Amino acid sequence: MRISWNWLSQYVDTNLTPQQAAEILTSTGLEVESVEAFEPIKGMLAGVVVGQVLECGKHPDADRLSVTVVDLGGQQAQIVCGAPNVAAGQKVLVATVGTTLYMSDGGSLVIKKSKIRGVESHGMICAEDELGLGQSHDGILVLDPSAVVGTTAAEHLQLTSDHVLEIGLTPNRTDAMGHVGVARDLIAALNHRRGLSLELKLPDVSAYAQDHEGDVVKVEVQAPVAAPRYAGITLSDVRVGPSPQWLQDRLLAISLKPINNVVDVTNYVQHELAQPLHAFDADHLAGRRIVVRMANANEHFTTLDEKERKLDAGDLVIADAEKPACIAGVFGGLKSGVSEATTTVFLESAWFDPSHVRRTARRHGLNTDASFRFERGVDPELTVYALKRAALLLKEVAGARIASDITDLDNKPHVAREVQLSFTEVEKLSGVRMAPDDIVRILELLDFRIRERNAQGLHAVVPAYRTDVYRPADVIEELLRIHGYDQVPLPRHLMMPPVLHDALTLESLRHQSAAHLAARGLREVMTPSLVNGERCVKSGVAAAEELVTLANPLSSELDVLRPTMLFSMLGPVAHNINRQQRDLAFFERGRIYRRKGEKTIETETLGLLLTGRRFAENWRSASRKTELFDAKEEVEALLGRLGLNALATWEPIEHALLSNAHALHIKGRRCGLLGEVSKPVLKAAEVSQPVFFAELDEEALLDACRAQEIGYTEVSRFPSVRRDLSLLLDEGVRFETLRKLVLQAERKLLQEVGLFDVYQGDKLPAGKKSYAMSFILLDTTKTLTDEQVDKAMGRIRQALEKEVGAELRG
């Protein structure tokens, strides 16, 4: 949330710098993530001054140019000007030599002393677009005759720089969703910590009064549960137009674009008091009525963004006598909004039920400033005050006249919450010993009312805008915020109870896996768990009934929990490739989700993804592109780190997202899969190069690790023997099949089986391939003889010839 320092300073009288205020606010729990300088006009027109054209004559060598003499206040300058409207006697804005102008088209221009067609020019008389003030380039900007020569442009135009505090607002701090709420915390902290007596300077609405009796808009609330409080007034003689500069500056500082004076006032009050308002063109309300009701099922409504939406019976709408005019607390209607032709305005201020607003906003995929506030809970006691504040501002900036009394339909009078607080509990929970008087002072600074107090504790009445305070612990948190989290003393001894875990936990397994993968050069990524359900179904990775669907998704593009890590991991791949980073090796730890009947299955999962070059070229070796076996190598290296490699087997499978896919099994249990991502999936993710992906079930790996018995074997004192065979095989025979076969054929002496060469080509018969395999034999009790080795290799050859039809090559 963006907070303007100039705006905030209206409510608190302090000489703090924005940076100092940011530190104090952060210590109260309103974390200021950044403090940025803000300029309504880039550069603040430094070097631009008000000048008066004293003389204006034709250029001797150019029909369209004029030679002027301009008084800049104490000195005169000759300036060549090409504007058709320049004339003697005008007050103008002049960019002096050395000035940098930031123009409306985004470009910049440095003013230099120059000769134009042989005549010296010492500056530039500026047009609106050259100053960044607008788009017009029809001629120079001519000022009012009252402009003072020599005055800086920033002073003449009343431009003021500002600082913007970016606050990372937590969802529970609904009280700080406006400038007044932030000022309240700042004042409370300053008064308590520095012993000051600052007061919150709230806008004065005592001047509010009805001006005349006009054609009043009548209000009816048919849905009091969804709209517990609804208030409004009718304003006449409204002149819609641009807002004054001070109002535009306030909105621009917090990244809001000024629209017109009426809409700008509603936005201003919303960001001042955290109370959303809405302005209707009263002449467009059928029957001159406002009806707050639930929508009819499948009722159609066109919102301000010109989209026609089908309403649900659970949506609260603000309607006229015939049709909806606004989705309550979320978004206005296209036809009932304020336009340049508006003269009569119905101004709305309400307290809508947060759950109704939240469901409606999610249902329609809308997230507005108003819904952000209503769905978290606004102050029900501020409804009428905000209405008066906005009405007085509209009188000031739009010439409005108040044509009705305030209609205030309060169907659920607010019942104040009370919390009983023990003084001893404060110290016990916070670790800070606070005097009872200090506790009372802090609570009163935060608008808590002390109903009763004794030696043991007190009864505090919670202010209505603190929607998150219910328990003593909540009140203690408030005390600690204002006291200062950074003021909590560290105890001399930190005591932590021992917690017994199994020798290997899922967390320790994940830590080991992450450390191993990072050491091998893979980078960890963290991606959202939400993906597009339609894409999942179309790809075939899951049926619709297997997907875990969100009841109220923020976006229709992100409406289900991911059934695989692949879709979310392809996002960072596309992001990096688009920025010329093509050699990528990622891993991610997270969960995947499946629905099985009425149950939702959550699986702790590790995803690995490789793409681009496996090795970059260097002076010792050429580069090589990543292959599927590189991904398999990473998986097997991880299994080796976990002591599971000897138990792992791979089986080819069909997979919706992967080609050449294989399933990993450990002792018969499926623990993962591996393959190359199919081209349609890559195309949908906007990835233009091959990607290799593996997904491992961490819980299955944990069970396998726990089932392993750790043993010790002495390194053999006797030498091993290696023998190699070159075999001619059918194309369909897999190395994994051969490995299992030879280990069964020679169980006593055979220790390792390796594959060190593969050949397929026109020198072999059709449908054949050649494997060169290595065999390591060892007897741990004695040195092997040639006879023993020959017998063992004979059993191996016999098994290969008999089971898979292998032929020995010379």
Side-chain angles (χ1 to χ4, degrees):
M1 186 180 72
R2 294 173 68 85
I3 295 293
S4 158
W5 176 245
N6 289 347
W7 193 347
L8 191 71
S9 299
Q10 294 178 200
Y11 315 112
V12 52
D13 186 11
T14 177
N15 56 3
L16 292 175
T17 66
Q19 290 75 17
Q20 291 170 332
E23 291 178 7
I24 294 172
L25 288 171
T26 298
S27 73
T28 69
L30 293 177
E31 183 181 358
V32 179
E33 298 172 344
S34 65
V35 179
E36 304 170 359
F38 169 77
E39 297 174 340
I41 301 294
K42 186 175 181 180
M44 294 294 289
L45 301 180
V48 181
V49 299
V50 175
Q52 183 170 16
V53 181
L54 300 177
E55 301 176 14
C56 180
K58 288 294 184 183
H59 192 288
D61 196 27
D63 293 338
R64 295 188 177 182
L65 297 179
S66 301
V67 179
T68 67
V69 176
V70 183
D71 179 9
L72 301 178
Q75 65 178 32
Q76 297 180 2
Q78 178 175 282
I79 298 175
V80 178
C81 180
N85 64 327
V86 64
Q90 292 173 333
K91 300 285 183 70
V92 293
L93 289 177
V94 179
T96 56
V97 173
T99 298
T100 300
L101 295 178
Y102 299 94
M103 299 180 288
S104 296
D105 62 3
S108 62
L109 175 66
V110 178
I111 306 302
K112 299 177 180 178
K113 177 182 176 181
S114 60
K115 273 192 176 182
I116 301 176
R117 294 286 188 96
V119 177
E120 285 191 357
S121 182
H122 300 265
M124 185 171 81
I125 304 174
C126 300
E128 184 180 283
D129 64 330
E130 293 164 338
L131 296 167
L133 297 174
Q135 303 299 324
S136 174
H137 194 71
D138 295 336
I140 59 171
L141 181 62
V142 180
L143 305 179
D144 188 271
S146 62
V148 179
V149 174
T151 304
T152 65
E155 182 182 351
H156 174 75
L157 297 172
Q158 297 181 333
L159 300 178
T160 55
S161 60
D162 197 356
H163 284 81
V164 176
L165 284 61
E166 187 73 48
I167 295 180
L169 195 65
T170 53
N172 65 307
R173 292 302 307 277
T174 58
D175 61 302
M177 292 188 296
H179 284 69
V180 166
V182 175
R184 183 188 294 113
D185 266 17
L186 182 59
I187 289 171
L190 288 172
N191 286 352
H192 173 69
R193 300 176 193 179
R194 301 187 181 184
L196 303 179
S197 299
L198 301 177
E199 292 185 1
L200 181 63
K201 297 189 290 186
L202 287 171
D204 183 13
V205 297
S206 60
Y208 176 86
Q210 183 175 345
D211 295 312
H212 72 108
E213 190 69 42
D215 191 1
V216 177
V217 175
K218 295 182 180 179
V219 178
E220 178 186 0
V221 176
Q222 296 179 356
V225 173
R229 189 173 190 182
Y230 189 90
I233 55 171
T234 305
L235 301 167
S236 63
D237 301 329
V238 178
R239 296 190 298 273
V240 178
S243 295
Q245 192 62 47
W246 69 266
L247 180 51
Q248 294 192 41
D249 288 347
R250 291 287 185 263
L251 298 180
L252 288 170
I254 60 171
S255 300
L256 286 182
K257 182 181 178 182
I259 298 172
N260 59 54
N261 48 8
V262 177
V263 175
D264 292 350
V265 162
T266 62
N267 284 331
Y268 180 86
V269 173
Q270 175 175 253
H271 287 271
E272 178 181 55
L273 302 175
Q275 172 64 51
L277 305 173
H278 191 72
F280 298 88
D281 186 329
D283 293 330
H284 289 171
L285 296 174
R288 209 80 168 173
R289 290 182 62 202
I290 283 287
V291 181
V292 184
R293 62 173 174 83
M294 306 307 296
N296 299 318
N298 300 321
E299 190 171 11
H300 289 266
F301 176 63
T302 304
T303 46
L304 275 171
D305 55 1
E306 300 184 1
K307 289 185 179 179
E308 185 175 290
R309 303 178 188 273
K310 187 183 291 186
L311 300 179
D312 184 88
D315 296 335
L316 180 68
V317 296
I318 310 301
D320 58 22
E322 300 173 355
K323 61 191 179 303
C326 174
I327 301 178
V330 181
F331 213 16
L334 180 63
K335 296 182 179 179
S336 63
V338 173
S339 67
E340 291 182 359
T342 299
T343 58
T344 306
V345 168
F346 177 77
L347 193 61
E348 162 196 284
S349 179
W351 175 39
F352 296 122
D353 175 61
S355 60
H356 278 83
V357 175
R358 187 182 304 114
R359 286 194 293 267
T360 294
R362 298 297 175 270
R363 187 180 296 119
H364 295 287
L366 294 168
N367 184 23
T368 62
D369 280 347
S371 68
F372 175 82
R373 286 161 174 79
F374 277 127
E375 65 189 44
R376 286 162 175 79
V378 299
D379 184 356
E381 296 182 352
L382 204 63
T383 308
V384 171
Y385 176 83
L387 204 57
K388 291 180 178 180
R389 170 65 168 158
L392 290 174
L393 284 172
L394 287 172
K395 290 184 68 172
E396 176 186 340
V397 304
R401 300 174 68 207
I402 300 173
S404 72
D405 196 4
I406 292 177
T407 299
D408 181 17
L409 302 178
D410 193 352
N411 296 291
K412 185 182 178 183
H414 177 70
V415 178
R417 294 189 304 278
E418 290 191 16
V419 177
Q420 184 174 354
L421 182 67
S422 164
F423 293 140
T424 57
E425 192 175 3
V426 173
E427 181 178 357
K428 181 180 178 181
L429 193 59
S430 69
V432 178
R433 179 172 295 178
M434 297 186 196
D437 287 346
D438 289 340
I439 291 174
V440 170
R441 175 170 166 76
I442 291 175
L443 291 178
E444 288 178 341
L445 287 170
L446 294 175
D447 291 345
F448 285 76
R449 185 165 52 85
I450 308 304
R451 188 177 65 80
E452 182 182 334
R453 173 184 171 181
N454 54 40
Q456 287 73 42
L458 53 81
H459 282 265
V461 180
V462 181
Y465 57 78
R466 289 313 305 265
T467 59
D468 60 324
V469 177
Y470 286 89
R471 307 165 300 162
D474 299 330
V475 177
I476 294 171
E477 181 183 358
E478 293 303 294
L479 295 170
L480 202 53
R481 284 195 315 104
I482 302 306
H483 179 76
Y485 289 121
D486 53 348
Q487 300 300 312
V488 178
L490 287 174
R492 183 170 296 178
H493 301 289
L494 290 175
M495 293 181 291
M496 300 162 69
V499 180
L500 298 178
H501 289 292
D502 292 333
L504 183 64
T505 64
L506 180 61
E507 189 59 36
S508 61
L509 173 76
R510 301 183 83 187
H511 180 75
Q512 290 181 38
S513 301
H516 167 83
L517 293 170
R520 288 185 61 88
L522 280 77
R523 295 179 181 272
E524 184 172 9
V525 297
M526 289 180 281
T527 62
S529 299
L530 299 176
V531 295
N532 181 255
E534 183 179 0
R535 181 182 176 191
C536 292
V537 174
K538 284 185 177 179
S539 68
V541 69
E545 60 271 14
E546 294 179 297
L547 296 175
V548 181
T549 306
L550 299 188
N552 295 300
L554 287 171
S555 165
S556 58
E557 292 297 312
L558 301 171
D559 57 345
V560 302
L561 292 170
R562 61 187 174 196
T564 172
M565 302 286 281
L566 178 58
F567 289 141
S568 51
M569 290 187 73
L570 284 174
V573 173
H575 179 85
N576 279 271
I577 289 175
N578 289 338
R579 288 154 181 80
Q580 289 76 52
Q581 303 297 316
R582 295 183 171 274
D583 305 325
L584 308 171
F586 291 155
F587 73 94
E588 181 177 10
R589 299 171 290 173
R591 293 178 181 176
I592 60 175
Y593 306 82
R594 294 263 178 163
R595 188 176 294 282
K596 191 173 183 181
E598 296 298 318
K599 295 179 64 178
T600 298
I601 309 299
E602 301 181 21
T603 306
E604 298 287 349
T605 304
L606 173 66
L608 282 72
L609 188 149
L610 280 72
T611 185
R613 294 177 299 176
R614 180 64 167 170
F615 305 111
E617 64 178 345
N618 57 60
W619 63 275
R620 294 186 301 167
S621 62
S623 65
R624 176 174 71 78
K625 292 183 178 180
T626 299
E627 301 171 350
L628 178 62
F629 290 101
D630 294 316
K632 184 171 182 280
E633 178 186 354
E634 292 298 342
V635 174
E636 291 180 336
L638 176 60
L639 295 176
R641 172 66 181 83
L642 300 176
L644 301 175
N645 216 0
L647 305 175
T649 59
W650 295 92
E651 296 292 339
I653 59 171
E654 294 294 325
H655 195 275
L657 306 179
L658 306 175
S659 59
N660 200 9
H662 288 71
L664 169 66
H665 291 84
I666 297 177
K667 287 188 175 181
R669 180 177 177 181
R670 180 161 167 171
C671 297
L673 55 85
L674 167 78
E676 180 177 355
V677 181
S678 66
K679 291 182 178 179
V681 174
L682 293 179
K683 184 177 180 181
E686 299 181 351
V687 175
S688 56
Q689 61 189 50
V691 174
F692 304 95
F693 175 72
E695 193 169 74
L696 303 178
D697 182 340
E698 291 183 312
E699 293 170 336
L701 294 179
L702 177 64
D703 291 342
C705 288
R706 286 175 172 171
Q708 282 282 83
E709 292 186 4
I710 299 176
Y712 163 76
T713 303
E714 184 181 1
V715 177
S716 177
R717 296 182 293 114
F718 303 99
S720 62
V721 176
R722 170 172 168 159
R723 290 288 187 269
D724 297 341
L725 293 178
S726 181
L727 304 171
L728 186 66
L729 302 159
D730 291 337
E731 273 185 338
V733 177
R734 298 170 54 246
F735 171 72
E736 185 65 25
T737 303
L738 301 179
R739 191 178 75 86
K740 289 180 181 178
L741 186 61
V742 298
L743 286 171
Q744 289 176 349
E746 181 51 58
R747 299 183 179 183
K748 182 178 179 182
L749 301 180
L750 186 59
Q751 303 292 315
E752 295 179 26
V753 183
L755 175 65
F756 61 89
D757 188 51
V758 177
Y759 174 73
Q760 286 178 286
D762 54 8
K763 294 182 181 179
L764 297 178
K768 296 290 185 178
K769 63 182 177 182
S770 173
Y771 272 8
M773 299 177 63
S774 62
F775 304 88
I776 306 296
L777 298 102
L778 174 69
D779 189 333
T780 58
T781 62
K782 61 181 182 296
T783 301
L784 287 173
T785 64
D786 288 344
E787 182 181 359
Q788 287 177 301
V789 172
D790 290 341
K791 285 183 178 179
M793 291 304 298
R795 286 191 289 271
I796 290 172
R797 285 195 299 271
Q798 185 178 3
L800 292 171
E801 290 169 355
K802 179 180 178 182
E803 298 298 332
V804 296
E807 299 178 30
L808 194 65
R809 299 185 70 199

